[in-house]
Amino acid sequence: MCKILVIGSSNTDLIATVKSFPSAGETIAGKSFFQAMGGKGANQAVAAHRLGGDVQFITCLGKDANGQNALKYYNAEGLDVSSLLIVGDVSSGTAMILVDDNGENCIVITPGANNMLSPAYIHKVEEDIAASEMVVLQMEIPYETVKTVCEIAHKHHKKVLLNVAPARQLDDDLIQKIDILVVNETEAETISGEKIEVIGTEAVVDTLLARGVNTVVLTLGKKGCLIKNNQTIKYVPAFVIEPLDSTAAGDTFCGALAAELSRGHGWDEALNFATAASAICVTRMGAQPSIPSEQEVREFLSMHTKSNLEYDSNK
Ligand code: RIB
């Protein structure tokens, strides 16, 4: 099994469920509140780890109670956080999340310590990058830090999986160092500068491939996902489930994809596994509390079958 190194954010999620989202200036009553561990980096690391991957996670925490809780939590999970950075005078990352009756969310993140994960620190952990096989990144740490990780990973011939969440534009020299780009429709449009409704899904994916990425995985929510590279184009449908909370569905997908690829599986198995893991996640509340184990995903797959349709670009 190949070693996966996830470098990214860690947040404490403060989650309120609401009937519907408030408008500007409106005060509404929430239905329930709870606190859980989150952050796109941490969610992807925990997902890859629970789903059977050999995972190391590098993040930055403050010295506050949230940071101490996070450290305890990662240790209790059995996640390798041996190169985690702890800084003073800054709060650990937080996310305020509203989840409505349709299971949709809106999120305000306050990065805090996540913004202190600097390029200089990445140079200090170059050995960890060199010792891994696949590096998994998201966009909740400074952009310059993501670029530095990609440069070092490229120098050591490591695979990079980049999930461009939250959405932002990418420089050519960064995008050319990415092996697997995982994006949703909004993220694909932001990077490509094109609209799916104007040029079509496949053309937007082609725009990303033309910029030098090896493989694009476009997640399509309830419709599943689309993979395209120079060997394959395939549409993988989603499982039909009753959604409760979509928080961390994309993170669970990325962690699961990394875990299954690290075991040497091909795209079909890996995408099916990731689609099942994120389907389970959506049926549960919160980010990390909703990430399933490998056994849960294997059982889910044995009970739910679906055919992997070849992608029909006219759809
Ligand atoms: O992707 C979900 C995550 O986004 C939440 O856990 C929250 O912390 C934000 O980072």
Side-chain angles (χ1 to χ4, degrees), residues 9-13 37-41 43 94-95 97 105 107 109 140 246-251 287-288:
S9 61
S10 172
N11 290 336
T12 299
D13 290 352
M37 289 308 303
K40 295 184 195 305
N43 296 344
T94 55
I97 304 181
N105 63 38
I107 303 179
I109 56 166
E140 283 187 341
S246 61
T247 307
D251 299 332
Q288 288 169 37

mmCIF file of all heavy atoms in Angstrom, residues 9-13 37-41 43 94-95 97 105 107 109 140 246-251 287-288, ligand 1:
data_model
loop_
_atom_site.group_PDB
_atom_site.id
_atom_site.type_symbol
_atom_site.label_atom_id
_atom_site.label_comp_id
_atom_site.label_asym_id
_atom_site.label_seq_id
_atom_site.Cartn_x
_atom_site.Cartn_y
_atom_site.Cartn_z
ATOM 1 N N SER A 9 -6.084 21.953 6.085
ATOM 2 C CA SER A 9 -6.702 22.641 7.218
ATOM 3 C C SER A 9 -7.264 21.692 8.264
ATOM 4 O O SER A 9 -7.602 20.542 7.984
ATOM 5 C CB SER A 9 -7.855 23.502 6.706
ATOM 6 O OG SER A 9 -8.815 22.658 6.083
ATOM 7 N N SER A 10 -7.394 22.252 9.475
ATOM 8 C CA SER A 10 -8.116 21.575 10.551
ATOM 9 C C SER A 10 -9.053 22.617 11.155
ATOM 10 O O SER A 10 -8.605 23.727 11.481
ATOM 11 C CB SER A 10 -7.113 21.091 11.597
ATOM 12 O OG SER A 10 -7.780 20.605 12.731
ATOM 13 N N ASN A 11 -10.322 22.317 11.268
ATOM 14 C CA ASN A 11 -11.286 23.247 11.856
ATOM 15 C C ASN A 11 -12.097 22.562 12.937
ATOM 16 O O ASN A 11 -12.282 21.341 12.911
ATOM 17 C CB ASN A 11 -12.297 23.733 10.801
ATOM 18 C CG ASN A 11 -11.677 24.663 9.771
ATOM 19 O OD1 ASN A 11 -10.671 25.311 10.027
ATOM 20 N ND2 ASN A 11 -12.286 24.723 8.599
ATOM 21 N N THR A 12 -12.622 23.387 13.840
ATOM 22 C CA THR A 12 -13.697 22.929 14.724
ATOM 23 C C THR A 12 -14.983 23.445 14.089
ATOM 24 O O THR A 12 -15.121 24.647 13.846
ATOM 25 C CB THR A 12 -13.520 23.510 16.134
ATOM 26 O OG1 THR A 12 -12.264 23.043 16.639
ATOM 27 C CG2 THR A 12 -14.648 23.064 17.049
ATOM 28 N N ASP A 13 -15.894 22.544 13.784
ATOM 29 C CA ASP A 13 -17.149 22.932 13.129
ATOM 30 C C ASP A 13 -18.232 23.197 14.173
ATOM 31 O O ASP A 13 -18.469 22.371 15.065
ATOM 32 C CB ASP A 13 -17.628 21.810 12.188
ATOM 33 C CG ASP A 13 -16.748 21.658 10.959
ATOM 34 O OD1 ASP A 13 -15.860 22.508 10.750
ATOM 35 O OD2 ASP A 13 -16.963 20.699 10.192
ATOM 36 N N MET A 37 -15.417 17.822 14.785
ATOM 37 C CA MET A 37 -14.165 18.099 14.075
ATOM 38 C C MET A 37 -14.411 18.188 12.569
ATOM 39 O O MET A 37 -15.175 17.405 12.012
ATOM 40 C CB MET A 37 -13.145 16.993 14.359
ATOM 41 C CG MET A 37 -12.591 16.996 15.774
ATOM 42 S SD MET A 37 -11.955 18.606 16.272
ATOM 43 C CE MET A 37 -10.749 18.897 14.980
ATOM 44 N N GLY A 38 -13.735 19.150 11.952
ATOM 45 C CA GLY A 38 -13.887 19.334 10.504
ATOM 46 C C GLY A 38 -12.647 19.971 9.900
ATOM 47 O O GLY A 38 -11.550 19.851 10.439
ATOM 48 N N GLY A 39 -12.849 20.701 8.800
ATOM 49 C CA GLY A 39 -11.735 21.246 8.016
ATOM 50 C C GLY A 39 -11.488 20.303 6.858
ATOM 51 O O GLY A 39 -11.410 19.089 7.045
ATOM 52 N N LYS A 40 -11.376 20.874 5.668
ATOM 53 C CA LYS A 40 -11.282 19.996 4.492
ATOM 54 C C LYS A 40 -10.054 19.087 4.538
ATOM 55 O O LYS A 40 -10.117 17.920 4.162
ATOM 56 C CB LYS A 40 -11.287 20.838 3.207
ATOM 57 C CG LYS A 40 -12.613 21.558 3.012
ATOM 58 C CD LYS A 40 -12.688 22.319 1.710
ATOM 59 C CE LYS A 40 -13.852 23.303 1.698
ATOM 60 N NZ LYS A 40 -15.145 22.708 1.984
ATOM 61 N N GLY A 41 -8.931 19.631 5.011
ATOM 62 C CA GLY A 41 -7.724 18.801 5.099
ATOM 63 C C GLY A 41 -7.918 17.656 6.071
ATOM 64 O O GLY A 41 -7.678 16.479 5.747
ATOM 65 N N ASN A 43 -10.706 16.445 7.257
ATOM 66 C CA ASN A 43 -11.752 15.507 6.817
ATOM 67 C C ASN A 43 -11.186 14.503 5.803
ATOM 68 O O ASN A 43 -11.479 13.303 5.858
ATOM 69 C CB ASN A 43 -12.915 16.256 6.162
ATOM 70 C CG ASN A 43 -13.638 17.187 7.126
ATOM 71 O OD1 ASN A 43 -13.485 17.070 8.329
ATOM 72 N ND2 ASN A 43 -14.418 18.118 6.590
ATOM 73 N N THR A 94 -11.858 27.595 12.653
ATOM 74 C CA THR A 94 -13.253 27.254 12.973
ATOM 75 C C THR A 94 -14.108 27.382 11.722
ATOM 76 O O THR A 94 -13.744 28.107 10.774
ATOM 77 C CB THR A 94 -13.868 28.188 14.047
ATOM 78 O OG1 THR A 94 -13.723 29.536 13.600
ATOM 79 C CG2 THR A 94 -13.246 27.996 15.408
ATOM 80 N N ALA A 95 -15.223 26.689 11.726
ATOM 81 C CA ALA A 95 -16.199 26.814 10.634
ATOM 82 C C ALA A 95 -17.588 26.894 11.238
ATOM 83 O O ALA A 95 -17.936 26.057 12.088
ATOM 84 C CB ALA A 95 -16.097 25.615 9.696
ATOM 85 N N ILE A 97 -21.365 26.444 10.440
ATOM 86 C CA ILE A 97 -22.071 25.734 9.360
ATOM 87 C C ILE A 97 -23.570 25.738 9.641
ATOM 88 O O ILE A 97 -24.009 25.385 10.739
ATOM 89 C CB ILE A 97 -21.572 24.269 9.276
ATOM 90 C CG1 ILE A 97 -20.043 24.242 9.081
ATOM 91 C CG2 ILE A 97 -22.278 23.519 8.153
ATOM 92 C CD1 ILE A 97 -19.442 22.853 8.955
ATOM 93 N N ASN A 105 -25.782 22.926 2.819
ATOM 94 C CA ASN A 105 -25.133 23.707 3.868
ATOM 95 C C ASN A 105 -24.626 25.031 3.342
ATOM 96 O O ASN A 105 -24.501 25.230 2.136
ATOM 97 C CB ASN A 105 -23.985 22.915 4.512
ATOM 98 C CG ASN A 105 -22.864 22.598 3.527
ATOM 99 O OD1 ASN A 105 -22.531 23.412 2.680
ATOM 100 N ND2 ASN A 105 -22.287 21.420 3.651
ATOM 101 N N ILE A 107 -21.357 27.708 4.751
ATOM 102 C CA ILE A 107 -20.248 27.629 5.714
ATOM 103 C C ILE A 107 -19.456 28.938 5.731
ATOM 104 O O ILE A 107 -19.151 29.488 4.666
ATOM 105 C CB ILE A 107 -19.280 26.473 5.333
ATOM 106 C CG1 ILE A 107 -20.026 25.133 5.245
ATOM 107 C CG2 ILE A 107 -18.125 26.380 6.321
ATOM 108 C CD1 ILE A 107 -19.158 23.933 4.857
ATOM 109 N N ILE A 109 -15.815 30.029 7.143
ATOM 110 C CA ILE A 109 -14.612 29.559 7.843
ATOM 111 C C ILE A 109 -13.769 30.747 8.316
ATOM 112 O O ILE A 109 -13.691 31.771 7.635
ATOM 113 C CB ILE A 109 -13.744 28.595 6.991
ATOM 114 C CG1 ILE A 109 -13.331 29.219 5.666
ATOM 115 C CG2 ILE A 109 -14.413 27.272 6.783
ATOM 116 C CD1 ILE A 109 -12.222 28.455 4.984
ATOM 117 N N GLU A 140 -7.734 25.299 1.743
ATOM 118 C CA GLU A 140 -8.010 26.034 2.987
ATOM 119 C C GLU A 140 -6.729 26.410 3.737
ATOM 120 O O GLU A 140 -6.781 26.751 4.910
ATOM 121 C CB GLU A 140 -8.945 25.227 3.897
ATOM 122 C CG GLU A 140 -10.386 25.278 3.428
ATOM 123 C CD GLU A 140 -11.363 24.619 4.398
ATOM 124 O OE1 GLU A 140 -10.934 23.816 5.257
ATOM 125 O OE2 GLU A 140 -12.556 24.906 4.282
ATOM 126 N N SER A 246 -24.976 17.363 3.623
ATOM 127 C CA SER A 246 -23.949 17.151 2.591
ATOM 128 C C SER A 246 -22.546 17.555 3.053
ATOM 129 O O SER A 246 -21.569 17.372 2.318
ATOM 130 C CB SER A 246 -24.314 17.926 1.321
ATOM 131 O OG SER A 246 -24.376 19.306 1.619
ATOM 132 N N THR A 247 -22.420 18.080 4.288
ATOM 133 C CA THR A 247 -21.096 18.518 4.769
ATOM 134 C C THR A 247 -20.083 17.370 4.692
ATOM 135 O O THR A 247 -20.354 16.273 5.169
ATOM 136 C CB THR A 247 -21.187 19.019 6.242
ATOM 137 O OG1 THR A 247 -22.212 19.998 6.319
ATOM 138 C CG2 THR A 247 -19.871 19.602 6.704
ATOM 139 N N ALA A 248 -18.934 17.660 4.098
ATOM 140 C CA ALA A 248 -17.808 16.717 3.988
ATOM 141 C C ALA A 248 -18.034 15.587 2.984
ATOM 142 O O ALA A 248 -17.224 14.666 2.913
ATOM 143 C CB ALA A 248 -17.405 16.137 5.344
ATOM 144 N N ALA A 249 -19.106 15.676 2.185
ATOM 145 C CA ALA A 249 -19.306 14.637 1.168
ATOM 146 C C ALA A 249 -18.149 14.646 0.164
ATOM 147 O O ALA A 249 -17.599 13.591 -0.188
ATOM 148 C CB ALA A 249 -20.631 14.862 0.445
ATOM 149 N N GLY A 250 -17.751 15.841 -0.261
ATOM 150 C CA GLY A 250 -16.630 15.960 -1.210
ATOM 151 C C GLY A 250 -15.317 15.522 -0.562
ATOM 152 O O GLY A 250 -14.471 14.898 -1.212
ATOM 153 N N ASP A 251 -15.153 15.848 0.705
ATOM 154 C CA ASP A 251 -13.914 15.456 1.406
ATOM 155 C C ASP A 251 -13.841 13.936 1.556
ATOM 156 O O ASP A 251 -12.775 13.331 1.388
ATOM 157 C CB ASP A 251 -13.879 16.089 2.806
ATOM 158 C CG ASP A 251 -13.900 17.612 2.741
ATOM 159 O OD1 ASP A 251 -13.427 18.164 1.732
ATOM 160 O OD2 ASP A 251 -14.402 18.235 3.688
ATOM 161 N N ALA A 287 -19.221 16.664 9.829
ATOM 162 C CA ALA A 287 -18.130 16.294 8.916
ATOM 163 C C ALA A 287 -17.511 14.969 9.354
ATOM 164 O O ALA A 287 -17.894 13.902 8.866
ATOM 165 C CB ALA A 287 -17.105 17.413 8.859
ATOM 166 N N GLN A 288 -16.598 15.004 10.313
ATOM 167 C CA GLN A 288 -15.896 13.751 10.654
ATOM 168 C C GLN A 288 -16.773 12.691 11.312
ATOM 169 O O GLN A 288 -16.535 11.497 11.104
ATOM 170 C CB GLN A 288 -14.638 14.076 11.463
ATOM 171 C CG GLN A 288 -13.597 14.699 10.537
ATOM 172 C CD GLN A 288 -12.421 15.313 11.237
ATOM 173 O OE1 GLN A 288 -11.947 14.802 12.243
ATOM 174 N NE2 GLN A 288 -11.942 16.416 10.688
HETATM 175 O O1 RIB B 1 -15.906 20.443 3.465
HETATM 176 C C1 RIB B 1 -16.510 20.571 4.719
HETATM 177 C C2 RIB B 1 -15.630 21.378 5.637
HETATM 178 O O2 RIB B 1 -15.536 22.687 5.149
HETATM 179 C C3 RIB B 1 -16.155 21.523 7.046
HETATM 180 O O3 RIB B 1 -15.744 20.492 7.899
HETATM 181 C C4 RIB B 1 -15.648 22.884 7.462
HETATM 182 O O4 RIB B 1 -14.693 22.851 8.468
HETATM 183 C C5 RIB B 1 -15.104 23.530 6.195
HETATM 184 O O5 RIB B 1 -13.754 23.535 6.175
#
